[in-house]
Amino acid sequence: MRISVSADSDDGVARQLVAELGRRGYEVIPHGVLAPEETADWAFCTETAARDVAEGRADQAVVCCWTGTGASIAANKVPGVRAALCTDAYTASGARRWNDANVLALSLRLTSTATLGEILDAWFDTSASQDHTDQQNIRHLGHLDEA
């Protein structure tokens, strides 16, 4: 699985995230501060990572900024992206299950190494719900992208 990863600063778990994804066997596509030839500004590097998902170059993305809020907002501006800002494993699991989120947003300030592992476990171990109502909600979001 290809995971696009962006970070706007080399703080917190930015480098640990890349290492952990690699350790888990994922191919990482780096952006922002993780790719020296690119701009590290949060809106730009997040958009690039989110477009990787929307355009099929990556299966999912993890986008990071100091609070995670800007990265979440920027990613959700890209049609076809459903980004979720997650600070714990329960939220990550719910985002995957009920929202079929395809972009994980993380706070570089709040995410500890232990919490990072728990969030990634929950994110990658959870599949989208097949419940009719949940699927109907996801389809509705796709129509909003077209509006």
Side-chain angles (χ1 to χ4, degrees):
M1 181 181 299
R2 292 167 302 165
I3 310 295
S4 187
V5 178
S6 69
D8 68 341
S9 65
D10 204 358
D11 294 303
V13 295
R15 301 283 174 179
Q16 294 167 355
L17 170 61
V18 171
E20 181 60 21
L21 290 171
R23 188 188 69 72
R24 292 170 182 239
Y26 300 116
E27 177 187 341
V28 175
I29 305 167
H31 296 292
V33 73
L34 305 169
E37 69 282 359
E38 295 183 9
T39 181
D41 295 333
W42 61 267
F44 296 88
C45 66
T46 297
E47 177 191 6
T48 303
R51 286 199 184 282
D52 282 350
V53 174
E55 296 171 6
R57 289 184 296 276
D59 301 295
Q60 295 183 19
V62 183
V63 296
C64 307
C65 69
W66 191 242
T67 65
T69 305
S72 176
I73 291 169
N76 278 313
K77 294 290 186 179
V78 176
V81 167
R82 292 175 305 282
L85 174 56
C86 299
T87 58
D88 58 52
Y90 182 79
T91 305
S93 178
R96 291 285 300 132
R97 178 177 296 113
W98 298 305
N99 311 122
D100 193 16
N102 53 11
V103 174
L104 169 62
L106 295 175
S107 166
L108 292 171
R109 183 180 77 80
L110 293 177
T111 308
S112 69
T113 301
T115 303
L116 174 65
E118 293 167 2
I119 290 171
L120 293 177
D121 287 345
W123 184 266
F124 291 113
D125 290 346
T126 305
S127 299
S129 168
Q130 297 306 305
D131 178 80
H132 172 74
T133 302
D134 294 334
Q135 290 294 309
Q136 183 176 325
N137 279 305
I138 300 307
R139 281 192 302 277
H140 177 72
L141 292 176
H143 296 302
L144 294 176
D145 284 341
E146 298 166 2

